[in-house]
Amino acid sequence: LGAHFLSRGRRADGERYLQHAAASGDRETALALAELYESDGRAADALALLDKLADTPPGSVSLRRAEIEFRQGQRDAAMARVERLLNANPKHAGALEAKAGFQLGMGKGQDGMRTARLAVDTAPTSAQAHYLLGQGLVADGRPDEAFAEFSE
């Protein structure tokens, strides 16, 4: 119902329903609410909400938090959070994708491509992993190889 209200421009009503569902333990709704907060310029509220959630499935909350931190300019904190996930599980596809995206976003193209290749090797059907590798290849002046990745 919250999404319905949001799609109709009734933001306050939508937020109220998302808050109710999140308070009832619906983690996906809580994650959506955190993203709504961030889009409203309320990153602190988003981060506080994410702090209340447990990491189930493994790493989902940590990854969302890292993404918000990165977009808010807290790049070191975001990268440290992703590194902790990778230390616990070096083949965590979402963490590899996040790390590759962060590296590419910081202008570390070669590092980003290496990490994106690991993500592709770990999750060969992941569109995000192929997209990130393609972005790195474009930045490296290799459009033909990038096109092949975008086609995967």
Side-chain angles (χ1 to χ4, degrees):
L1 193 53
H4 170 77
F5 283 124
L6 291 172
S7 71
R8 303 272 184 297
R10 294 176 57 188
R11 201 160 187 88
D13 291 328
E15 181 179 342
R16 187 174 68 248
Y17 279 97
L18 289 176
Q19 288 171 337
H20 178 72
S24 298
D26 183 338
R27 293 197 191 309
E28 286 304 311
T29 301
L31 294 171
L33 181 60
E35 289 177 4
L36 175 70
Y37 286 161
E38 185 199 9
S39 72
D40 283 347
R42 298 162 49 196
D45 290 337
L47 296 174
L49 178 58
L50 292 174
D51 281 340
K52 293 178 185 177
L53 299 174
D55 272 351
T56 307
S60 64
V61 173
S62 288
L63 282 176
R64 296 270 179 112
R65 183 174 173 87
E67 290 164 358
I68 291 173
E69 288 170 337
F70 188 82
R71 289 190 297 263
Q72 295 297 313
Q74 300 169 24
R75 293 177 170 186
D76 291 340
M79 190 62 85
R81 189 172 303 282
V82 169
E83 289 293 347
R84 282 192 297 275
L85 286 171
L86 289 170
N87 286 338
N89 178 4
K91 293 190 178 211
H92 190 296
L96 287 168
E97 292 167 0
K99 182 177 179 178
F102 295 167
Q103 289 169 323
L104 292 170
M106 292 186 294
K108 298 178 179 180
Q110 295 301 314
D111 292 337
M113 280 195 299
R114 272 192 295 280
T115 304
R117 282 190 200 285
L118 286 173
V120 167
D121 291 345
T122 300
T125 60
S126 168
Q128 180 68 10
H130 286 282
Y131 173 79
L132 289 163
L133 181 52
Q135 288 293 333
L137 290 165
V138 166
D140 199 41
R142 296 158 55 189
D144 292 338
E145 291 175 67
F147 181 75
E149 288 303 323
F150 293 141
S151 299
E152 284 295 319

